[in-house]
Coordinates of all heavy atoms in Angstrom, one line a residue:
M1 N 0.8 -1.2 0.0 CA 0.0 0.0 0.0 C 0.9 1.2 0.0 O 1.9 1.3 0.7 CB -0.9 0.0 1.2 CG -1.7 1.3 1.3 SD -2.8 1.4 2.7 CE -3.9 0.1 2.3
V2 N 0.5 2.2 -0.8 CA 1.2 3.5 -0.9 C 0.3 4.5 -0.3 O -0.9 4.6 -0.5 CB 1.7 3.8 -2.3 CG1 0.5 4.0 -3.2 CG2 2.5 5.1 -2.3
K3 N 0.9 5.4 0.6 CA 0.1 6.4 1.2 C 0.5 7.8 0.6 O 1.6 8.1 0.5 CB 0.4 6.4 2.7 CG 0.0 5.1 3.4 CD 0.4 5.1 4.9 CE 0.0 3.8 5.5 NZ 0.2 3.8 6.9
V4 N -0.6 8.5 0.1 CA -0.3 9.7 -0.7 C -1.0 10.9 0.0 O -2.0 10.8 0.6 CB -0.8 9.6 -2.1 CG1 -0.1 8.4 -2.8 CG2 -2.3 9.4 -2.3
G5 N -0.4 12.0 -0.3 CA -1.0 13.3 0.1 C -1.1 14.1 -1.2 O -0.3 14.0 -2.1
L6 N -2.1 15.0 -1.2 CA -2.4 15.8 -2.4 C -2.4 17.3 -2.0 O -3.0 17.7 -1.0 CB -3.8 15.5 -3.0 CG -3.9 14.0 -3.4 CD1 -5.3 13.5 -3.0 CD2 -3.7 13.9 -4.9
V7 N -1.7 18.1 -2.8 CA -1.7 19.5 -2.6 C -2.3 20.1 -3.9 O -1.9 19.7 -5.0 CB -0.3 20.1 -2.4 CG1 -0.4 21.6 -2.3 CG2 0.3 19.6 -1.1
R8 N -3.3 21.0 -3.8 CA -4.0 21.5 -4.9 C -4.0 23.0 -4.9 O -3.8 23.6 -3.8 CB -5.4 20.9 -5.1 CG -6.3 21.2 -3.8 CD -7.5 20.4 -3.8 NE -8.4 20.8 -4.9 CZ -9.7 20.7 -4.9 NH1 -10.3 20.2 -3.9 NH2 -10.4 21.1 -5.9
C9 N -4.3 23.6 -6.0 CA -4.4 25.0 -6.2 C -5.6 25.6 -5.4 O -6.7 25.1 -5.6 CB -4.5 25.4 -7.7 SG -4.9 27.1 -8.0
E10 N -5.3 26.6 -4.6 CA -6.4 27.1 -3.8 C -7.5 27.8 -4.7 O -8.7 27.7 -4.4 CB -5.9 28.1 -2.8 CG -7.0 28.6 -1.9 CD -6.5 29.3 -0.6 OE1 -5.6 28.8 0.1 OE2 -7.0 30.4 -0.3
G11 N -7.0 28.5 -5.7 CA -8.0 29.2 -6.6 C -8.8 28.1 -7.4 O -10.0 28.3 -7.5
A12 N -8.2 27.1 -7.9 CA -9.0 26.1 -8.6 C -10.0 25.3 -7.7 O -11.0 24.9 -8.2 CB -8.0 25.1 -9.2
M13 N -9.6 25.2 -6.4 CA -10.5 24.4 -5.6 C -11.9 25.1 -5.4 O -12.8 24.5 -5.0 CB -9.9 24.1 -4.2 CG -9.7 25.2 -3.3 SD -9.0 24.7 -1.7 CE -10.3 25.0 -0.7
R14 N -11.9 26.4 -5.7 CA -13.2 27.1 -5.5 C -14.2 26.7 -6.6 O -15.4 26.8 -6.4 CB -12.9 28.6 -5.7 CG -12.2 29.2 -4.5 CD -12.0 30.7 -4.6 NE -11.1 31.1 -3.6 CZ -9.9 31.7 -3.8 NH1 -9.5 32.0 -5.0 NH2 -9.2 32.1 -2.8
I15 N -13.7 26.1 -7.7 CA -14.6 25.7 -8.8 C -14.5 24.2 -9.1 O -15.3 23.6 -9.8 CB -14.4 26.5 -10.0 CG1 -13.0 26.4 -10.5 CG2 -14.8 27.9 -9.8 CD1 -12.8 27.1 -11.9
C16 N -13.5 23.5 -8.5 CA -13.3 22.1 -8.8 C -13.4 21.3 -7.5 O -12.6 21.6 -6.5 CB -11.9 21.9 -9.4 SG -11.5 20.1 -9.6
P17 N -14.3 20.3 -7.4 CA -14.4 19.5 -6.2 C -13.4 18.4 -6.1 O -13.4 17.6 -5.1 CB -15.8 18.9 -6.4 CG -16.0 18.8 -7.8 CD -15.3 20.0 -8.4
G18 N -12.4 18.3 -7.0 CA -11.4 17.3 -6.9 C -11.8 15.9 -7.5 O -11.1 14.9 -7.3
T19 N -12.9 15.9 -8.2 CA -13.4 14.6 -8.7 C -12.5 13.9 -9.7 O -12.4 12.7 -9.6 CB -14.8 14.7 -9.3 OG1 -14.8 15.8 -10.3 CG2 -15.9 15.1 -8.2
S20 N -11.8 14.7 -10.5 CA -10.9 14.0 -11.5 C -9.7 13.4 -10.8 O -9.2 12.4 -11.2 CB -10.5 15.0 -12.5 OG -11.6 15.4 -13.4
C21 N -9.2 14.1 -9.7 CA -8.1 13.6 -8.9 C -8.5 12.2 -8.3 O -7.8 11.3 -8.3 CB -7.7 14.5 -7.9 SG -6.8 16.0 -8.5
F22 N -9.7 12.2 -7.7 CA -10.2 11.0 -7.0 C -10.5 9.9 -8.0 O -10.2 8.7 -7.7 CB -11.4 11.3 -6.1 CG -11.0 12.1 -4.9 CD1 -11.5 13.4 -4.7 CD2 -10.2 11.6 -3.9 CE1 -11.2 14.1 -3.5 CE2 -9.8 12.3 -2.8 CZ -10.3 13.6 -2.6
R23 N -10.9 10.2 -9.2 CA -11.2 9.2 -10.2 C -9.8 8.6 -10.6 O -9.7 7.4 -10.8 CB -11.9 9.8 -11.4 CG -12.2 8.7 -12.4 CD -13.0 9.2 -13.6 NE -12.4 10.3 -14.3 CZ -12.9 11.5 -14.5 NH1 -14.1 11.7 -14.0 NH2 -12.2 12.4 -15.1
A24 N -8.8 9.5 -10.8 CA -7.5 8.9 -11.2 C -6.9 8.0 -10.1 O -6.3 7.0 -10.4 CB -6.5 10.1 -11.5
I25 N -7.1 8.4 -8.9 CA -6.7 7.5 -7.8 C -7.5 6.2 -7.8 O -6.9 5.1 -7.8 CB -6.9 8.2 -6.4 CG1 -5.9 9.4 -6.3 CG2 -6.7 7.2 -5.3 CD1 -6.3 10.3 -5.2
R26 N -8.8 6.2 -7.9 CA -9.6 5.0 -7.9 C -9.4 4.1 -9.1 O -9.2 2.9 -8.9 CB -11.1 5.5 -7.9 CG -12.1 4.3 -7.8 CD -13.6 4.8 -7.7 NE -13.9 5.6 -8.9 CZ -14.1 6.9 -9.0 NH1 -14.0 7.7 -7.9 NH2 -14.4 7.5 -10.1
E27 N -9.2 4.7 -10.3 CA -9.0 3.9 -11.5 C -7.5 3.7 -11.8 O -7.2 3.0 -12.7 CB -9.7 4.6 -12.7 CG -11.2 4.7 -12.5 CD -11.9 5.5 -13.6 OE1 -11.2 6.0 -14.5 OE2 -13.1 5.6 -13.5
K28 N -6.6 4.3 -11.0 CA -5.2 4.2 -11.1 C -4.8 4.6 -12.6 O -4.1 3.8 -13.3 CB -4.7 2.8 -10.8 CG -5.0 2.5 -9.3 CD -4.5 1.1 -8.9 CE -4.8 1.0 -7.4 NZ -4.7 -0.4 -7.0
T29 N -5.2 5.8 -12.9 CA -4.8 6.3 -14.2 C -4.0 7.6 -14.0 O -3.8 8.0 -12.8 CB -6.1 6.7 -15.0 OG1 -6.9 7.6 -14.3 CG2 -6.9 5.4 -15.4
G30 N -3.6 8.2 -15.1 CA -2.7 9.4 -14.9 C -1.5 9.1 -14.2 O -0.9 8.0 -14.3
S31 N -1.1 10.0 -13.3 CA 0.1 9.8 -12.5 C 0.0 8.6 -11.5 O 1.0 8.2 -10.9 CB 0.5 11.1 -11.7 OG 0.8 12.1 -12.6
F32 N -1.2 8.1 -11.2 CA -1.4 7.0 -10.3 C -1.3 5.7 -11.0 O -1.3 4.6 -10.3 CB -2.8 7.2 -9.6 CG -2.8 8.4 -8.7 CD1 -3.4 9.5 -9.2 CD2 -2.2 8.4 -7.5 CE1 -3.4 10.7 -8.4 CE2 -2.3 9.5 -6.7 CZ -2.9 10.7 -7.1
A33 N -1.1 5.6 -12.3 CA -0.9 4.4 -13.0 C 0.3 3.6 -12.5 O 0.4 2.4 -12.5 CB -0.8 4.6 -14.5
R34 N 1.3 4.3 -11.9 CA 2.5 3.7 -11.4 C 2.2 2.8 -10.2 O 3.0 1.9 -9.8 CB 3.5 4.7 -11.0 CG 3.1 5.6 -9.8 CD 4.0 6.7 -9.4 NE 3.9 7.7 -10.5 CZ 4.7 8.6 -10.8 NH1 5.8 8.7 -10.1 NH2 4.5 9.5 -11.7
Y35 N 1.0 2.9 -9.7 CA 0.6 2.1 -8.5 C -0.5 1.0 -8.9 O -1.3 0.6 -8.1 CB 0.0 3.0 -7.4 CG 1.0 4.0 -6.9 CD1 0.8 5.4 -7.1 CD2 2.3 3.6 -6.4 CE1 1.7 6.3 -6.7 CE2 3.2 4.6 -6.0 CZ 2.9 5.9 -6.2 OH 3.8 6.9 -5.8
S36 N -0.4 0.6 -10.1 CA -1.4 -0.3 -10.7 C -1.6 -1.6 -9.8 O -2.6 -2.2 -9.8 CB -1.2 -0.7 -12.1 OG 0.1 -1.3 -12.3
D37 N -0.5 -2.0 -9.2 CA -0.5 -3.3 -8.4 C -0.6 -3.0 -6.9 O -0.4 -4.0 -6.1 CB 0.7 -4.1 -8.7 CG 0.8 -4.6 -10.1 OD1 -0.3 -4.8 -10.7 OD2 1.9 -4.8 -10.7
E38 N -0.8 -1.8 -6.5 CA -0.9 -1.5 -5.1 C -2.2 -0.8 -4.7 O -2.8 -0.2 -5.5 CB 0.3 -0.5 -4.7 CG 1.7 -1.1 -4.9 CD 2.7 0.0 -4.5 OE1 2.7 0.3 -3.3 OE2 3.5 0.4 -5.3
E39 N -2.5 -0.9 -3.4 CA -3.6 -0.1 -2.9 C -3.1 1.3 -2.7 O -1.9 1.5 -2.3 CB -4.1 -0.7 -1.6 CG -5.0 -1.9 -1.8 CD -5.7 -2.2 -0.4 OE1 -6.3 -1.4 0.2 OE2 -5.5 -3.4 0.0
I40 N -4.0 2.3 -2.8 CA -3.6 3.7 -2.5 C -4.5 4.2 -1.4 O -5.7 4.1 -1.4 CB -3.9 4.6 -3.8 CG1 -3.0 4.1 -5.0 CG2 -3.6 6.0 -3.5 CD1 -3.4 4.7 -6.3
E41 N -3.8 4.7 -0.4 CA -4.5 5.3 0.8 C -4.2 6.8 0.7 O -3.1 7.3 0.6 CB -4.0 4.8 2.1 CG -4.7 5.4 3.3 CD -4.1 4.9 4.6 OE1 -3.5 3.8 4.7 OE2 -4.4 5.6 5.6
I42 N -5.3 7.6 0.8 CA -5.2 9.0 0.8 C -5.0 9.5 2.2 O -5.9 9.3 3.0 CB -6.4 9.7 0.1 CG1 -6.6 9.2 -1.3 CG2 -6.3 11.2 0.1 CD1 -8.0 9.5 -1.9
I43 N -3.9 10.1 2.5 CA -3.7 10.7 3.8 C -4.3 12.0 4.0 O -4.9 12.3 5.1 CB -2.1 10.8 4.1 CG1 -1.5 9.4 4.0 CG2 -1.8 11.5 5.4 CD1 -2.0 8.4 5.0
G44 N -4.3 12.8 3.0 CA -4.9 14.1 3.0 C -4.9 14.9 1.7 O -4.2 14.5 0.8
M45 N -5.7 15.9 1.6 CA -5.8 16.8 0.5 C -5.9 18.2 1.0 O -6.8 18.5 1.7 CB -7.0 16.4 -0.4 CG -7.1 17.2 -1.7 SD -8.5 16.6 -2.7 CE -8.0 17.0 -4.3
A46 N -5.0 19.0 0.6 CA -4.9 20.4 1.1 C -4.7 21.4 0.0 O -4.0 21.1 -1.0 CB -3.8 20.5 2.2
P47 N -5.2 22.6 0.3 CA -4.9 23.7 -0.7 C -3.5 24.2 -0.5 O -2.9 24.1 0.6 CB -6.0 24.7 -0.3 CG -6.2 24.5 1.1 CD -6.1 23.0 1.3
C48 N -3.0 24.9 -1.5 CA -1.6 25.4 -1.4 C -1.5 26.7 -0.5 O -0.4 27.0 -0.1 CB -1.1 25.8 -2.8 SG -2.0 27.1 -3.6
G49 N -2.6 27.3 -0.3 CA -2.6 28.5 0.6 C -2.7 29.8 -0.3 O -2.6 30.9 0.3
G50 N -2.8 29.6 -1.6 CA -2.9 30.8 -2.4 C -1.5 31.2 -2.9 O -0.5 30.8 -2.2
C51 N -1.4 32.0 -4.0 CA -0.1 32.4 -4.5 C 0.7 33.2 -3.5 O 0.1 34.0 -2.8 CB -0.3 33.2 -5.8 SG -1.1 32.2 -7.1
P52 N 1.9 32.8 -3.3 CA 2.8 31.9 -4.0 C 2.9 30.5 -3.4 O 4.0 29.9 -3.4 CB 4.1 32.6 -4.0 CG 4.2 33.3 -2.7 CD 2.7 33.7 -2.4
G53 N 1.8 30.0 -2.9 CA 1.8 28.6 -2.3 C 2.4 28.6 -0.9 O 3.1 27.7 -0.4
R54 N 2.0 29.6 -0.1 CA 2.5 29.8 1.2 C 2.3 28.6 2.2 O 3.2 28.3 3.0 CB 1.9 31.0 1.9 CG 2.2 32.3 1.3 CD 1.6 33.5 2.0 NE 0.1 33.5 1.8 CZ -0.5 34.0 0.7 NH1 0.2 34.6 -0.2 NH2 -1.8 34.0 0.6
D55 N 1.2 27.9 2.0 CA 1.0 26.8 3.0 C 1.3 25.4 2.4 O 1.2 24.4 3.1 CB -0.5 26.8 3.3 CG -0.9 28.0 4.2 OD1 0.0 28.6 4.8 OD2 -2.1 28.3 4.3
A56 N 1.7 25.3 1.1 CA 1.9 24.0 0.5 C 2.9 23.2 1.2 O 2.7 22.0 1.5 CB 2.3 24.2 -1.0
V57 N 4.1 23.8 1.6 CA 5.1 23.0 2.2 C 4.7 22.6 3.6 O 4.9 21.4 4.0 CB 6.4 23.8 2.2 CG1 7.5 23.1 3.0 CG2 6.9 24.2 0.8
R58 N 4.1 23.4 4.3 CA 3.7 23.1 5.7 C 2.6 22.0 5.7 O 2.6 21.0 6.4 CB 3.1 24.3 6.4 CG 2.7 24.1 7.9 CD 2.1 25.3 8.5 NE 0.9 25.8 7.8 CZ -0.3 25.2 7.8 NH1 -0.5 24.2 8.5 NH2 -1.3 25.8 7.2
Q59 N 1.6 22.1 4.7 CA 0.6 21.1 4.6 C 1.2 19.8 4.2 O 0.8 18.7 4.7 CB -0.5 21.6 3.6 CG -1.3 22.8 4.0 CD -2.4 22.4 4.9 OE1 -2.4 21.4 5.5 NE2 -3.4 23.3 5.0
A60 N 2.1 19.8 3.2 CA 2.7 18.5 2.8 C 3.5 17.9 3.9 O 3.4 16.7 4.1 CB 3.6 18.8 1.6
A61 N 4.2 18.7 4.7 CA 5.0 18.2 5.8 C 4.1 17.5 6.8 O 4.4 16.5 7.4 CB 5.9 19.3 6.4
E62 N 3.0 18.1 7.1 CA 2.0 17.6 8.0 C 1.5 16.2 7.5 O 1.3 15.3 8.3 CB 0.9 18.5 8.3 CG -0.1 18.1 9.3 CD 0.5 17.8 10.7 OE1 1.6 18.4 11.1 OE2 -0.1 17.0 11.5
M63 N 1.2 16.1 6.2 CA 0.7 14.9 5.6 C 1.8 13.8 5.7 O 1.5 12.7 6.1 CB 0.2 15.1 4.2 CG -1.1 15.8 4.1 SD -1.8 15.9 2.4 CE -1.0 17.4 1.9
V64 N 3.0 14.2 5.5 CA 4.1 13.2 5.7 C 4.2 12.8 7.1 O 4.4 11.6 7.4 CB 5.5 13.8 5.1 CG1 6.7 12.9 5.5 CG2 5.4 14.0 3.6
R65 N 4.1 13.7 8.0 CA 4.2 13.4 9.5 C 3.0 12.4 9.8 O 3.2 11.5 10.7 CB 4.0 14.7 10.3 CG 4.3 14.4 11.8 CD 4.1 15.7 12.6 NE 2.7 16.1 12.8 CZ 1.8 15.4 13.6 NH1 2.2 14.4 14.3 NH2 0.6 15.8 13.8
R66 N 1.9 12.5 9.1 CA 0.8 11.6 9.4 C 0.8 10.3 8.5 O -0.1 9.6 8.4 CB -0.5 12.3 9.2 CG -0.7 13.4 10.2 CD -1.9 14.2 10.0 NE -2.0 15.3 10.9 CZ -3.1 15.7 11.5 NH1 -4.3 15.1 11.2 NH2 -3.1 16.7 12.3
G67 N 1.9 10.1 7.8 CA 2.1 8.9 7.1 C 2.3 8.9 5.6 O 2.5 7.9 4.9
A68 N 2.1 10.1 4.9 CA 2.2 10.1 3.5 C 3.6 9.8 3.1 O 4.6 10.2 3.7 CB 1.8 11.5 2.9
E69 N 3.7 8.9 2.0 CA 5.0 8.5 1.5 C 5.4 9.2 0.2 O 6.5 9.2 -0.2 CB 5.0 7.0 1.2 CG 4.7 6.2 2.4 CD 4.3 4.8 2.1 OE1 3.4 4.6 1.2 OE2 4.8 3.9 2.8
V70 N 4.4 9.9 -0.4 CA 4.6 10.6 -1.6 C 3.6 11.7 -1.7 O 2.5 11.6 -1.2 CB 4.5 9.7 -2.9 CG1 3.2 9.1 -3.0 CG2 4.9 10.5 -4.1
I71 N 4.0 12.9 -2.2 CA 3.1 14.0 -2.3 C 2.8 14.3 -3.8 O 3.7 14.3 -4.6 CB 3.6 15.3 -1.7 CG1 3.9 15.1 -0.2 CG2 2.8 16.5 -1.9 CD1 2.6 14.9 0.7
F72 N 1.6 14.4 -4.1 CA 1.2 14.8 -5.5 C 0.7 16.2 -5.6 O -0.1 16.6 -4.7 CB 0.0 13.9 -6.0 CG 0.4 12.5 -6.3 CD1 0.7 11.6 -5.4 CD2 0.5 12.1 -7.7 CE1 1.0 10.3 -5.7 CE2 0.9 10.8 -8.0 CZ 1.1 9.9 -7.0
L73 N 1.2 17.0 -6.5 CA 0.7 18.3 -6.8 C -0.4 18.1 -7.8 O -0.2 17.4 -8.8 CB 1.7 19.3 -7.3 CG 2.9 19.6 -6.4 CD1 3.7 20.8 -7.1 CD2 2.4 20.1 -5.0
G74 N -1.6 18.6 -7.5 CA -2.7 18.4 -8.4 C -2.4 19.0 -9.8 O -1.6 19.9 -10.0
T75 N -3.1 18.4 -10.8 CA -3.0 18.8 -12.2 C -3.3 20.3 -12.3 O -2.7 21.0 -13.1 CB -3.9 17.9 -13.1 OG1 -3.4 16.6 -13.0 CG2 -3.8 18.3 -14.5
C76 N -4.2 20.8 -11.4 CA -4.5 22.2 -11.5 C -3.3 23.1 -11.2 O -3.3 24.3 -11.5 CB -5.6 22.5 -10.5 SG -5.2 22.0 -8.8
M77 N -2.2 22.5 -10.6 CA -1.0 23.3 -10.4 C 0.0 23.2 -11.5 O 1.0 24.0 -11.5 CB -0.4 22.9 -9.0 CG -1.3 23.2 -7.8 SD -0.5 22.8 -6.3 CE 0.8 24.1 -6.2
I78 N -0.2 22.3 -12.4 CA 0.8 22.2 -13.5 C 0.3 22.4 -14.9 O 1.1 22.5 -15.8 CB 1.5 20.9 -13.4 CG1 0.6 19.7 -13.6 CG2 2.3 20.7 -12.1 CD1 1.3 18.4 -14.0
K79 N -1.0 22.4 -15.0 CA -1.7 22.7 -16.4 C -2.7 23.8 -16.2 O -3.2 24.0 -15.1 CB -2.3 21.4 -16.9 CG -1.3 20.3 -17.3 CD -2.0 19.2 -17.9 CE -1.0 18.1 -18.3 NZ -1.6 16.9 -18.9
P80 N -3.1 24.4 -17.3 CA -4.2 25.4 -17.1 C -5.6 24.8 -16.9 O -6.5 24.9 -17.7 CB -4.1 26.2 -18.5 CG -3.6 25.2 -19.4 CD -2.6 24.3 -18.6
I81 N -5.7 24.1 -15.8 CA -6.9 23.4 -15.4 C -7.4 24.0 -14.1 O -6.7 24.0 -13.2 CB -6.7 21.9 -15.3 CG1 -6.4 21.3 -16.6 CG2 -8.0 21.2 -14.8 CD1 -6.0 19.8 -16.5
P82 N -8.6 24.5 -14.0 CA -9.6 24.5 -15.0 C -9.5 25.6 -16.0 O -10.2 25.7 -17.0 CB -10.9 24.6 -14.2 CG -10.5 25.4 -13.0 CD -9.1 24.9 -12.7
S83 N -8.6 26.6 -15.7 CA -8.5 27.7 -16.7 C -7.1 28.3 -16.4 O -6.4 28.0 -15.5 CB -9.6 28.7 -16.5 OG -9.5 29.3 -15.2
E84 N -6.7 29.2 -17.3 CA -5.4 29.9 -17.1 C -5.5 30.7 -15.8 O -6.6 31.1 -15.4 CB -5.2 30.9 -18.3 CG -5.0 30.2 -19.7 CD -3.7 29.5 -19.8 OE1 -2.8 29.8 -19.0 OE2 -3.5 28.7 -20.7
P85 N -4.4 31.0 -15.3 CA -3.0 30.7 -15.7 C -2.6 29.4 -15.0 O -3.1 28.9 -14.1 CB -2.2 31.9 -15.1 CG -2.9 32.2 -13.8 CD -4.4 32.0 -14.1
V86 N -1.4 28.9 -15.5 CA -0.8 27.8 -14.9 C 0.0 28.3 -13.7 O 0.5 29.5 -13.7 CB 0.2 27.2 -15.9 CG1 1.1 26.1 -15.2 CG2 -0.5 26.7 -17.1
C87 N 0.1 27.5 -12.6 CA 0.8 27.9 -11.4 C 2.3 28.1 -11.8 O 3.0 27.2 -12.1 CB 0.6 26.9 -10.3 SG 1.6 27.3 -8.9
K88 N 2.7 29.4 -11.6 CA 4.1 29.6 -11.9 C 5.1 29.3 -10.7 O 6.3 29.4 -10.9 CB 4.3 31.1 -12.3 CG 4.0 32.1 -11.2 CD 4.1 33.5 -11.8 CE 3.7 34.5 -10.8 NZ 3.7 35.9 -11.3
Y89 N 4.5 28.8 -9.6 CA 5.2 28.5 -8.5 C 5.4 26.9 -8.3 O 6.0 26.5 -7.3 CB 4.6 29.1 -7.2 CG 4.4 30.6 -7.3 CD1 3.2 31.1 -7.5 CD2 5.5 31.4 -7.2 CE1 3.0 32.5 -7.6 CE2 5.4 32.8 -7.3 CZ 4.1 33.3 -7.5 OH 4.0 34.7 -7.6
S90 N 4.7 26.1 -9.1 CA 4.7 24.7 -8.9 C 6.0 24.0 -8.7 O 6.2 23.2 -7.9 CB 3.8 24.0 -9.9 OG 4.3 24.2 -11.2
A91 N 7.0 24.3 -9.6 CA 8.3 23.7 -9.5 C 9.0 24.1 -8.2 O 9.6 23.2 -7.6 CB 9.1 24.1 -10.8
E92 N 8.9 25.3 -7.9 CA 9.5 25.8 -6.6 C 8.9 25.2 -5.4 O 9.6 24.8 -4.5 CB 9.3 27.3 -6.6 CG 10.0 28.0 -5.4 CD 9.8 29.5 -5.4 OE1 9.6 30.1 -6.5 OE2 9.8 30.1 -4.3
I93 N 7.5 25.0 -5.4 CA 6.8 24.4 -4.3 C 7.2 22.9 -4.2 O 7.5 22.4 -3.1 CB 5.3 24.5 -4.6 CG1 4.8 26.0 -4.4 CG2 4.5 23.6 -3.6 CD1 3.4 26.2 -4.8
A94 N 7.3 22.2 -5.4 CA 7.7 20.8 -5.4 C 9.1 20.6 -4.8 O 9.3 19.8 -3.9 CB 7.6 20.3 -6.8
E95 N 10.0 21.5 -5.2 CA 11.4 21.4 -4.7 C 11.4 21.7 -3.2 O 12.2 21.0 -2.4 CB 12.3 22.3 -5.5 CG 13.8 22.1 -5.1 CD 14.3 20.7 -5.2 OE1 13.9 20.0 -6.1 OE2 15.1 20.3 -4.3
A96 N 10.7 22.6 -2.7 CA 10.7 23.0 -1.3 C 10.1 21.8 -0.5 O 10.6 21.5 0.6 CB 9.9 24.3 -1.1
I97 N 9.0 21.2 -1.0 CA 8.5 20.0 -0.3 C 9.5 18.9 -0.3 O 9.7 18.2 0.8 CB 7.2 19.5 -1.0 CG1 6.1 20.6 -0.8 CG2 6.7 18.2 -0.5 CD1 4.8 20.4 -1.7
R98 N 10.1 18.6 -1.4 CA 11.2 17.5 -1.4 C 12.3 17.8 -0.4 O 12.7 16.9 0.4 CB 11.8 17.4 -2.8 CG 11.0 16.8 -3.8 CD 11.8 16.6 -5.1 NE 10.8 16.3 -6.2 CZ 10.4 17.2 -7.1 NH1 10.8 18.4 -7.1 NH2 9.5 16.8 -8.0
K99 N 12.7 19.1 -0.3 CA 13.8 19.4 0.6 C 13.4 19.3 2.0 O 14.1 18.8 2.8 CB 14.2 20.9 0.3 CG 15.4 21.3 1.0 CD 15.9 22.7 0.6 CE 17.0 23.2 1.4 NZ 17.5 24.5 1.0
K100 N 12.2 19.7 2.3 CA 11.7 19.7 3.7 C 11.4 18.3 4.2 O 11.6 17.9 5.4 CB 10.5 20.6 3.9 CG 10.0 20.6 5.4 CD 9.2 21.8 5.7 CE 8.8 21.8 7.2 NZ 9.6 22.6 8.0
T101 N 10.7 17.5 3.3 CA 10.2 16.2 3.8 C 11.0 15.0 3.4 O 10.9 14.0 4.0 CB 8.8 16.0 3.2 OG1 8.9 15.9 1.8 CG2 7.8 17.1 3.6
G102 N 11.8 15.1 2.3 CA 12.6 14.0 1.8 C 11.8 13.0 1.0 O 12.3 12.0 0.6
V103 N 10.5 13.3 0.7 CA 9.7 12.4 -0.1 C 9.6 12.8 -1.5 O 9.9 14.0 -1.8 CB 8.2 12.2 0.5 CG1 8.3 11.7 2.0 CG2 7.4 13.5 0.4
D104 N 9.2 11.9 -2.4 CA 9.0 12.2 -3.8 C 7.8 13.1 -3.9 O 6.8 13.0 -3.2 CB 8.8 10.9 -4.5 CG 8.8 11.1 -6.0 OD1 9.4 12.0 -6.5 OD2 8.2 10.2 -6.7
V105 N 7.9 14.0 -4.9 CA 6.8 14.9 -5.3 C 6.5 14.6 -6.7 O 7.4 14.7 -7.6 CB 7.1 16.4 -5.0 CG1 5.9 17.2 -5.5 CG2 7.4 16.6 -3.5
V106 N 5.2 14.2 -7.0 CA 4.8 14.0 -8.4 C 4.0 15.1 -8.9 O 3.1 15.7 -8.2 CB 3.9 12.7 -8.4 CG1 3.4 12.4 -9.8 CG2 4.7 11.5 -7.8
M107 N 4.4 15.5 -10.1 CA 3.7 16.7 -10.7 C 2.5 16.3 -11.5 O 2.6 15.7 -12.6 CB 4.7 17.4 -11.7 CG 6.0 17.8 -11.0 SD 5.8 19.1 -9.7 CE 5.6 20.5 -10.6
G108 N 1.3 16.5 -11.0 CA 0.1 16.2 -11.6 C -0.6 14.9 -11.1 O 0.1 14.0 -10.6
T109 N -1.9 14.9 -11.3 CA -2.6 13.7 -10.8 C -3.3 13.0 -11.9 O -3.2 11.8 -12.1 CB -3.7 14.2 -9.8 OG1 -4.4 15.3 -10.3 CG2 -3.0 14.6 -8.5
H110 N -4.1 13.7 -12.7 CA -4.8 13.0 -13.8 C -4.4 13.5 -15.2 O -3.6 14.3 -15.3 CB -6.3 13.2 -13.7 CG -6.7 14.7 -13.5 ND1 -7.0 15.5 -14.5 CD2 -6.9 15.4 -12.4 CE1 -7.3 16.7 -14.1 NE2 -7.3 16.6 -12.8

């Protein structure tokens, strides 16, 4: 079993309920295809805190403290989903999470 945490765009969460992320987890598609032979446990799903992602690292670290083994940045943070603009901080956020927690950070969910 792999335990995952999800960080998503705060702006996008106002219009997106996360259903595509949860479908990708359930069906093991998109970035979750790598876990086709494993169960996936969701430890938590948190917003980034708004630009420039002030809370993302803290939220990810808390999910790791609670058992997450990998952190996924939602597709809303790496593509213009549901609309422009793309998060210009996503690479910086991912690197900061890796540095603070030592876990892998996957860019995108579905």
